[in-house]
């Protein structure tokens, strides 16, 4: 039987065994669920019905007693009306009686469907007999009360029906105990079923675990052990340590035998391919060496040609930068001259502003003086008018005096003439003062306009000063940038020397390297090697996790063909690309033995 058929058979046995045990567990659980549903539908309702019967009996008995009490109260009031309480109490008693009978009928129906009724049928029969007897006493009490024989009704309620009431209470207690016992029996049955389900579940888990363990053990012995052996042999081939005994035995199950034959065929093909690859690799190394020499000669020619072009370009750029430096100096001197002239202009402007403010104050004082003179002229005009009136009065009085007043008349005439002259002069003075005040206002406005214009000129001067300062700063930045550019152009003269980093000839080589960088291992593939260093390509995994900077110490184990070298060095450069990262290592600890082996490897 093949390995696949064995696995199919084992899985079928595990599946059927687990399915059978699970079916039994599910069947028992289903029966338990049905039993629990029946318990909830019958037993719990029985307990509810018994409790309801007790409550309805108490209401029935209380309402009959209340009916008799109402009737007694009405009789005590000597024929007074009970105001409908008798009929209401009697109706409530009848309702409680009907509910009690309904609960009894429902309890009988539930007992018929109960799995373990116990003493419930007997208790319900006793309740039926006691209830019938109690109903008879109740009916008799109602009849006696309706016939107004209240004393007889009280006797029946308090003494005659006592035995029937006690018997009914005892029957209800017995029914309650029977219902509780039934519920207890049902719960015990449910617990027993639940225990069986748990036991079956544990048995199912044990059976499934055993079957799975057997299947896992069979799989490990029949499949995983041969596969582990195959994995070890494949890893040996990958590490290059495979020997003749790595071939697999072509026996056993059909699948494993076919895998062994395929593995042995692959091993033969790989060995043949290794031989071809070794020969091709030797040819490739020879071609790479020749190509490398040709490429290096071409690179040196290109570098020399590039340096020649760079030198010519740098000379022309330096000439232009020198001319630009002269222009920068001229701009710096012009900016200095502008700044000094702006400072002088600012000083003159400040003086003019001060003089303008003083002139404005003088014009204001002149206006005040003119207004005072105008008030004095007005006063003189008023005096002249009064003088004319006095001269007129004097003339009139002189005329009245006749010849005696002739001299006084001459004086009055002269006074009048003088007053007229004074009034005329006052008018001319007032007109002149008004013209002067108008001219003074115009002069004040002109001075104010001049002050405003000078303030605007002051702002413009300040802006020009700021522009001059910014121009100085820009010239400083330009001068610094120009110095940096000149330094870089001078530095271009050593470009070829800096590009030519290799102090020794490098040769393409095929091999591997194991690097110890800061205590962490990294694997790499060799690209080329020289007497002073090596260039290699790191694996993707290690290249992304290691932190490498120039100058970091490195312990390198180089494997080139049959040669293995242990050399100490430091990282010279790193190059991160889309492909694996390249790493340049400079040898710092190179023994004479390693130097001889490197010369043998490189052919120098």
């Amino acid at each position: 039987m093949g390995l696949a058929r064995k696995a199919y058979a084992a899985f079928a046995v595990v599946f059927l065994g687990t399915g059978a045990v699970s079916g039994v567990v599910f069947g028992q659980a289903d029966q338990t669920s049905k039993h629990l549903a029946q318990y909830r539908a019958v037993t719990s309702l029985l307990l509810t019905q018994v409790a309801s019967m007790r409550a309805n009996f108490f209401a029935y008995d209380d309402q009959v007693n209340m009916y008799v009490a109402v009737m007694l109260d009405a009789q005590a009031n000597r024929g007074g009306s009970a105001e409908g309480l008798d009929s209401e109490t009697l109706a409530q008693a009848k309702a409680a009686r009907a509910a009690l009978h309904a609960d009894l009928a429902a309890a009988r129906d539930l007992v018929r469907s109960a799995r373990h009724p116990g003493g419930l049928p007997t208790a319900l029969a006793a309740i039926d007999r006691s209830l019938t007897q109690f109903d008879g006493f109740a009916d008799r009490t109602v009849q006696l009360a309706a016939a107004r024989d209240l004393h007889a009704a009280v006797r029946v309620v308090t003494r005659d029906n006592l035995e029937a009431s006690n018997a009914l209470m005892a029957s209800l207690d017995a029914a309650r105990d029977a219902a509780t016992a039934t519920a207890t029996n049902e719960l015990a049955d449910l617990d027993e079923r639940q225990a069986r389900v748990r036991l079956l579940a544990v048995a199912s888990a044990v059976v499934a675990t055993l079957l799975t363990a057997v299947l896992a053990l069979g799989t490990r012995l029949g499949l995983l052990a041969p596969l582990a052996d195959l994995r070890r042999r494949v890893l040996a081939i990958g590490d290059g340590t495979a020997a003749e005994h790595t071939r697999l035995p072509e026996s056993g199950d059909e699948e494993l035998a076919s895998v062994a034959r395929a593995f042995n065929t692959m091993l033969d093909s790989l060995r043949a391919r290794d031989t071809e690859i070794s020969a091709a690799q030797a040819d490739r190394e020879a071609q790479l060496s020749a190509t490398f020499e040709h490429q290096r000669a071409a690179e040196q020619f290109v570098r020399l040609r590039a340096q020649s072009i760079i030198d010519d370009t740098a000379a022309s750029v330096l000439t232009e930068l020198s001319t630009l430096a002269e222009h920068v100096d001229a701009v710096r001197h012009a900016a200095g001259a502008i700044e000094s002239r702006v400072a002088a202009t600012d000083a003159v402007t400040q003086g003019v502003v001060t003089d303008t403010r003083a002139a404005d104050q003088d014009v204001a004082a002149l206006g005040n003086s003119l207004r005072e003179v105008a008030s004095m002229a007005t006063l003189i005009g008023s005096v002249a008018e009064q003088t004319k009136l006095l001269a007129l009065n004097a003339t009139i009085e002189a005329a009245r005096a006749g010849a005696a007043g002739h001299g006084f008349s001459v004086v009055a005439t002269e006074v009048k003439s003088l007053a007229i002259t004074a009034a005329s002069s006052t008018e001319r003075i007032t007109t002149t003062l008004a013209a002067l005040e108008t001219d003074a206002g115009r002069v004040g406005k002109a001075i104010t306009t001049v002050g405003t214009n000078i303030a605007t000129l002051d702002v413009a001067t300040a802006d020009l000063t700021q522009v001059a300062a910014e121009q100085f700063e820009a010239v400083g930045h330009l001068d610094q940038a120009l110095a940096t550019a000149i330094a870089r152009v001078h530095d271009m003269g050593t470009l070829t020397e800096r590009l030519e980093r290799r102090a020794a000839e490098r040769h393409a080589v095929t091999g591997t390297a194991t690097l110890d960088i800061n205590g962490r291992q990294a694997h790499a593939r060799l690209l080329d090697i020289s007497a002073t260093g090596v260039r290699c390509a790191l694996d993707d995994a290690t290249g992304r996790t290691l932190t490498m900077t120039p100058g970091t110490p490195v312990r390198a184990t180089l494997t080139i063909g049959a040669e293995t070298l242990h050399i100490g060095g430091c990282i010279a450069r790193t190059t991160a690309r889309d492909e694996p990262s390249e790493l340049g290592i400079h040898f710092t600890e190179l023994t004479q033995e390693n130097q001889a082996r490197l010369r043998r490897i490189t052919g120098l």
Side-chain angles (χ1 to χ4, degrees):
M1 181 183 293
L3 185 61
R5 293 180 181 178
K6 291 179 181 179
Y8 294 152
F11 279 113
V13 170
V14 172
F15 177 76
L16 292 176
T18 306
V21 177
S22 299
V24 174
V25 173
F26 288 142
Q28 288 293 325
D30 184 60
Q31 292 180 5
T32 302
S33 299
K34 292 179 179 178
H35 194 177
L36 180 60
Q38 187 177 11
Y39 165 76
R40 290 173 178 170
V42 176
T43 309
S44 60
L45 289 179
L46 274 172
L47 292 173
T48 303
Q49 292 297 333
V50 172
S52 179
M53 281 192 290
R54 290 175 63 86
N56 289 326
F57 169 68
F58 290 145
Y60 182 20
D61 188 23
D62 290 342
Q63 293 302 321
V64 171
N65 293 333
M66 185 65 69
Y67 175 69
V68 176
V70 170
M71 297 300 291
L72 285 172
D73 184 63
Q75 186 179 18
N77 291 330
R78 296 186 180 184
S81 174
E83 297 180 357
L85 289 176
D86 53 349
S87 58
E88 182 179 353
T89 305
L90 183 59
Q92 291 179 359
K94 290 179 180 180
R97 177 179 177 174
L100 180 56
H101 283 278
D103 290 337
L104 182 58
R108 286 197 191 97
D109 294 336
L110 290 173
V111 167
R112 294 189 189 96
S113 60
R115 291 170 54 87
H116 303 287
L120 272 173
T122 303
L124 293 180
I127 292 172
D128 192 9
R129 289 192 300 271
S130 300
L131 182 58
T132 302
Q133 186 178 3
F134 186 82
D135 287 342
F137 285 109
D139 293 339
R140 185 179 175 185
T141 300
V142 172
Q143 292 172 2
L144 290 172
R148 300 297 179 178
D149 190 358
L150 296 179
H151 292 288
V154 171
R155 184 178 64 252
V156 172
V157 170
T158 58
R159 188 182 66 184
D160 295 345
N161 71 343
L162 183 59
E163 183 179 355
S165 177
N166 291 335
L168 183 56
M169 286 294 298
S171 300
L172 288 172
D173 292 337
R176 180 193 60 194
D177 295 338
T180 303
T182 300
T184 303
N185 293 332
E186 291 290 340
L187 288 175
D189 193 8
L190 284 173
D191 288 339
E192 183 180 356
R193 289 178 177 273
Q194 190 69 19
R196 287 200 299 269
V197 171
R198 286 196 294 269
L199 181 60
L200 287 174
V202 172
S204 174
V206 171
V207 171
T209 302
L210 290 176
L211 292 176
T212 304
V214 171
L215 179 60
L217 182 60
T219 302
R220 180 177 179 82
L221 295 177
L223 181 61
L224 295 182
L227 290 179
D229 185 33
L230 177 61
R231 177 178 176 275
R232 286 193 299 271
R233 296 173 187 266
V234 171
L235 290 177
I237 294 174
D239 294 338
T241 59
E244 185 64 28
H245 63 273
T246 57
R247 299 177 64 85
L248 291 175
E250 300 178 1
S251 60
D253 292 322
E254 296 178 2
E255 291 83 356
L256 295 177
S258 62
V259 171
R261 287 192 294 271
F263 177 79
N264 294 334
T265 303
M266 180 194 69
L267 191 60
D268 295 338
S269 299
L270 287 176
R271 286 172 179 166
R273 187 71 56 83
D274 287 341
T275 303
E276 296 176 359
I277 290 174
S278 298
Q281 185 175 357
D283 295 340
R284 178 175 174 274
E285 289 179 355
Q287 293 177 359
L288 286 175
S289 179
T291 303
F292 180 78
E293 295 297 334
H294 178 72
Q295 182 180 0
R296 182 167 179 79
E299 289 177 356
Q300 290 178 349
F301 175 77
V302 170
R303 288 192 186 96
L304 293 175
R305 178 60 178 166
Q307 186 62 52
S308 175
I309 296 173
I310 289 171
D311 290 341
D312 295 340
T313 305
S316 61
V317 170
L318 284 174
T319 302
E320 295 176 359
L321 289 177
S322 300
T323 304
L324 180 59
E326 295 175 358
H327 290 306
V328 169
D329 290 334
V331 171
R332 183 185 294 107
H333 291 309
I338 291 173
E339 186 177 13
S340 61
R341 292 177 183 177
V342 167
T345 303
D346 189 29
V348 172
T349 301
Q350 293 296 329
V352 172
V353 168
T354 303
D355 295 340
T356 302
R357 290 174 181 172
D360 193 9
Q361 293 176 357
D362 294 340
V363 170
L366 178 61
N368 293 330
S369 300
L370 290 175
R371 283 190 290 273
E372 291 179 359
V373 172
S375 63
M376 294 177 64
T378 302
L379 179 62
I380 293 171
S382 176
V383 171
E385 291 294 330
Q386 294 293 329
T387 303
K388 285 194 297 182
L389 290 176
L390 292 174
L392 180 61
N393 290 331
T395 302
I396 294 172
E397 293 296 330
R400 288 178 180 178
H406 179 72
F408 185 75
S409 175
V410 172
V411 173
T413 301
E414 291 296 329
V415 171
K416 180 180 179 181
S417 176
L418 181 60
I420 292 172
T421 302
S424 176
S425 299
T426 301
E427 289 178 358
R428 286 197 300 273
I429 291 171
T430 302
T431 302
T432 303
L433 289 175
L436 287 174
E437 188 174 1
T438 300
D439 293 340
R442 291 176 181 175
V443 170
K445 290 182 180 179
I447 291 173
T448 302
T449 303
V450 170
T452 303
N453 294 333
I454 291 174
T456 304
L457 178 61
D458 193 13
V459 173
T461 304
D463 294 338
L464 185 58
T465 303
Q466 182 178 0
V467 169
E470 293 176 354
Q471 187 175 6
F472 257 118
E473 184 178 359
V475 169
H477 289 309
L478 180 61
D479 193 10
Q480 183 179 1
L482 186 61
T484 302
I486 292 174
R488 290 183 178 179
V489 171
H490 281 298
D491 192 44
M492 290 175 64
T494 61
L495 180 61
T496 301
E497 296 178 1
R498 287 186 286 110
L499 288 175
E500 186 60 44
R501 296 185 304 268
R502 298 169 182 173
E505 294 290 337
R506 292 193 176 186
H507 297 269
V509 68
T510 301
T512 59
T514 301
L515 309 177
D516 186 348
I517 303 174
N518 293 327
R520 298 184 61 182
Q521 298 291 325
H523 300 282
R525 176 173 53 86
L526 298 180
L527 299 177
D528 54 49
I529 192 171
S530 69
T532 60
V534 66
R535 184 169 65 95
C536 56
L538 291 172
D539 293 344
D540 288 338
T542 55
R544 286 192 295 265
T545 58
L546 289 177
T547 301
M548 298 171 293
T549 56
T552 302
V554 180
R555 298 297 302 178
T557 301
L558 310 180
T559 303
I560 306 173
E563 297 284 350
T564 301
L565 293 83
H566 302 280
I567 303 176
C570 64
I571 296 177
R573 64 183 182 87
T574 58
T575 304
R577 301 176 179 174
D578 295 336
E579 299 177 355
S581 301
E582 289 189 5
L583 186 66
I585 300 175
H586 175 67
F587 297 149
T588 57
E589 300 176 7
L590 196 61
T591 62
Q592 294 182 354
E593 180 183 358
N594 285 335
Q595 290 178 356
R597 296 170 71 181
L598 284 175
R599 285 194 296 269
R600 184 166 59 252
I601 292 172
T602 57
L604 297 177

